[in-house]
Amino acid sequence: MSINWFPGHMHKARKEIAEVMPQVDVIIEMLDARIPFSSENPLVPELRGDTPCIKVLNKADLADPAVTKLWQQHFEQQAGVKAIPISQQNPEQIRALLDLCTELLPERNFEVRGARAMIMGIPNVGKSTLINTLAGRIIAKTGNEAGVTKAQQRIKLENGVILTDTPGFLWPKLSPASCGYRLAVTGAIKDTAFDYADIAMFAADYLLKTYPEQVMARYQLKEQPENDLALLDAIGQRRGCMVKGGVVDLTKAGTILITELRAGLFGPVTLETPEMVTQELADAKLEQARIEKEKAEREQERIRKAKKKYR
């Protein structure tokens, strides 16, 4: 199953960002520390050009710190990029962003003109909460769902930084397919765009392979379930998600797994690593090449048959 979500206001947001980008000195790109690659919008480099960029690994308190460090090193290999992990529970980490904005503009005379920063990111990654912390007051509407911010707004901060907030937007086609699943698991996609049982099976498979002890501790399991379905069955039986005939309701059991994963109840979990993503991208490239080859072969066969028919 392929998961995509690109409503009209996201297309509008992309166009508006492109229009104001020449006026921006620094980009603050919010990423989810649990899915740094999947939450990194591939349209941003195209929009950004050479503008300095701070990649903020938000929700770092929910992510595996060892993997977060790998991602930080990965991003800082890119020219003009700084990466910092933050937690919404630590306002001092967030306020340090303002100093970093000025550090990335060493030749600027800030007495003449302050830094113009733009904050970007996917839906539900925490932009509005971060803005409210930087401003020291409630400016941006927050909500634990995707797509709360619908329009740009500008905020003047204490150190002279002018911050432009933008609506969260995804991209038309989420690829590789696992990217869409991870976005759905972490809440970046509207719940109506996917099936809970489907994404829960995806999450269960990954958790059993990568964080089995945390899964067993959460659900007080004596033995590790052998696969994703067995885990959802175990959750359903323990939490009373049963239907007639003693069968587990996979949607209810899956909803429990996803809700608790999003809340951090398994402990710190990261759903992707740089090495894993590199392999996924290579596999996706090979698969796309295979599809294009088959398509070309079918077209050649169609032309051959057409020529034979009209000889």
Side-chain angles (χ1 to χ4, degrees):
M1 177 180 173
S2 178
I3 298 175
N4 287 287
W5 185 50
F6 193 70
H9 74 270
M10 290 189 184
H11 177 67
K12 179 183 177 184
R14 175 185 173 183
K15 291 179 62 178
E16 291 177 346
I17 289 170
E19 289 172 1
V20 302
M21 186 60 70
Q23 306 167 24
V24 174
D25 299 314
V26 179
I27 292 170
I28 300 173
E29 184 182 8
M30 295 281 288
L31 306 178
D32 187 326
R34 298 167 296 176
I35 52 167
F37 168 76
S38 295
S39 59
E40 184 186 30
N41 195 322
L43 299 177
V44 170
E46 173 189 326
L47 294 167
R48 170 193 159 209
D50 296 327
T51 306
C53 180
I54 304 171
K55 291 187 181 288
V56 179
L57 297 167
N58 193 29
K59 305 181 183 181
D61 52 315
L62 300 177
D64 186 327
V67 183
T68 297
K69 188 172 182 179
L70 292 177
W71 278 111
Q72 190 174 4
Q73 294 169 349
H74 171 81
F75 287 130
E76 291 193 343
Q77 292 175 4
Q78 302 171 15
V81 173
K82 293 290 292 182
I84 60 170
I86 68 167
S87 166
Q88 303 283 8
Q89 314 306 318
N90 190 335
E92 291 305 313
Q93 287 181 332
I94 296 175
R95 294 190 187 98
L97 274 174
L98 298 179
D99 293 332
L100 195 50
C101 284
T102 57
E103 288 176 20
L104 288 173
L105 301 169
E107 299 178 1
R108 171 67 57 82
N109 184 344
F110 293 101
E111 293 182 0
V112 176
R113 192 183 73 184
R116 297 168 299 185
M118 174 181 282
I119 186 165
M120 303 171 67
I122 65 170
N124 199 30
V125 75
K127 297 191 306 297
S128 297
T129 301
L130 180 136
I131 289 168
N132 292 338
T133 301
L134 289 176
R137 61 190 189 280
I138 302 299
I139 290 177
K141 181 181 178 182
T142 61
N144 190 25
E145 62 173 322
V148 172
T149 303
K150 292 292 194 297
Q152 288 187 19
Q153 61 175 333
R154 292 189 178 183
I155 305 105
K156 186 172 183 179
L157 304 177
E158 289 183 358
N159 68 342
V161 172
I162 304 296
L163 185 64
T164 299
D165 182 21
T166 60
F169 71 104
L170 294 170
W171 46 106
K173 183 178 180 181
L174 302 177
S175 179
S178 53
C179 174
Y181 274 87
R182 289 190 283 258
L183 287 164
V185 167
T186 53
I189 295 177
K190 282 280 190 182
D191 287 2
T192 53
F194 58 82
D195 177 74
Y196 262 98
D198 186 39
I199 67 164
M201 297 280 274
F202 173 86
D205 179 69
Y206 178 82
L207 291 171
L208 285 173
K209 291 176 180 176
T210 314
Y211 299 99
E213 293 181 0
Q214 291 172 223
V215 171
M216 293 173 67
R218 178 62 195 164
Y219 297 113
Q220 300 179 343
L221 304 176
K222 294 181 180 179
E223 295 183 1
Q224 181 177 330
E226 60 184 35
N227 55 38
D228 47 8
L229 183 57
L231 175 56
L232 290 187
D233 275 338
I235 294 171
Q237 291 169 10
R238 286 189 170 274
R239 300 294 180 85
C241 305
M242 312 298 291
V243 294
K244 288 183 179 180
V247 177
V248 169
D249 185 324
L250 292 180
T251 297
K252 287 184 179 180
T255 301
I256 288 172
L257 174 68
I258 296 301
T259 301
E260 296 186 352
L261 179 58
R262 289 176 180 176
L265 299 182
F266 290 88
V269 167
T270 299
L271 299 176
E272 59 192 12
T273 66
E275 183 180 8
M276 177 196 306
V277 166
T278 299
Q279 185 61 53
E280 286 181 351
L281 290 172
D283 292 344
K285 188 175 181 179
L286 288 174
E287 177 63 13
Q288 185 61 34
R290 183 190 65 80
I291 292 172
E292 290 175 0
K293 180 181 178 182
E294 290 181 353
K295 183 179 178 181
E297 289 174 349
R298 288 195 300 270
E299 179 63 13
Q300 288 175 0
E301 180 64 14
R302 184 190 68 80
I303 293 171
R304 185 188 67 79
K305 288 181 178 179
K307 287 181 177 179
K308 185 177 180 180
K309 180 178 179 180
Y310 292 104
R311 277 177 182 169

